[in-house]
Amino acid sequence: SVRAHQRKGTIQWKIVFAMAPGIIVGGLLSGGAVFAALSTAWLSLFFALFVGYSAWNMLRNKKPQASRQMPGIVGTSAAGAGIGFLSGLVGAGGGFLSVPFMVWCNVALHAAVSTSAALGFPIALANSIGYVVSGLNESVSRPGMLGYIYWPALLALVATSVLTAPAGARMAHRLPVATLKRVFACLLFAL
């Protein structure tokens, strides 16, 4: 996905490098320390409400203030920490948070989607390390598990993602912004 978006030249690497340290810290904290201690019912409710709110704002095409921009490096890294933390809690890649955040900061939607794809690796890495560490004691007797990660499912998801991500990236760049927003909002509602 990152290669496909990079070919289009829409990844905002400055944002990636500013957000990645925070994403890693937030992901390690949530996956490694907080995830196992939280009630999944409250977590599910929070996730559903937040994602539904983000989807609603995308569907109604609410425009951010024209003067709003990405915060400085400290603010962007702090936002990354929040995105990494919440992504770790709900076991998601972070695009459901990073794309709406960047769009709210007036990053063009195509660039936000592309940049979010590049942020996927640090999110996945930090959260995976956290899930492995926090679940090591529970996975000892479960075949296929390492911590809270079920490797057969992970490998199946990776294989299908590697095959389909380039097509998704091409489609994201071909669709008009209004259509892309509607598609993204519908995917958020489905989540």
Side-chain angles (χ1 to χ4, degrees), residues 13-25:
W13 288 106
K14 182 178 176 182
I15 296 172
V16 172
F17 293 129
M19 285 184 113
I23 281 174
I24 291 169
V25 169

Side-chain angles (χ1 to χ4, degrees), residues 20-181:
I23 281 174
I24 291 169
V25 169
L28 287 171
L29 285 174
S30 67
V34 178
F35 174 77
L38 288 180
S39 160
T40 55
W42 284 108
L43 200 54
S44 297
L45 178 63
F46 172 77
F47 177 78
L49 291 173
F50 184 83
V51 171
Y53 174 76
S54 296
W56 176 248
N57 280 336
M58 283 255 175
L59 267 184
R60 64 187 186 125
N61 201 19
K62 184 179 178 184
K63 304 275 187 215
Q65 293 176 3
S67 62
R68 187 175 296 136
Q69 297 180 14
M70 290 293 293
I73 192 157
V74 173
T76 301
S77 188
I83 290 167
F85 187 81
L86 292 172
S87 296
L89 291 182
V90 298
F96 73 98
L97 294 168
S98 61
V99 171
F101 171 71
M102 286 184 270
V103 168
W104 183 73
C105 293
N106 283 309
V107 174
L109 183 60
H110 288 104
V113 169
S114 298
T115 304
S116 178
L119 290 168
F121 180 74
I123 288 172
L125 179 66
N127 291 337
S128 295
I129 290 169
Y131 292 148
V132 168
V133 170
S134 66
L136 273 178
N137 292 335
E138 295 194 29
S139 67
V140 174
S141 63
R142 296 182 183 168
M145 297 288 291
L146 179 59
Y148 290 119
I149 297 177
Y150 183 60
W151 285 96
L154 175 66
L155 294 174
L157 286 169
V158 167
T160 55
S161 294
V162 166
L163 295 174
T164 59
R170 281 191 303 275
M171 183 186 301
H173 288 282
R174 286 186 186 141
L175 292 174
V177 171
T179 303
L180 187 57
K181 278 187 174 184

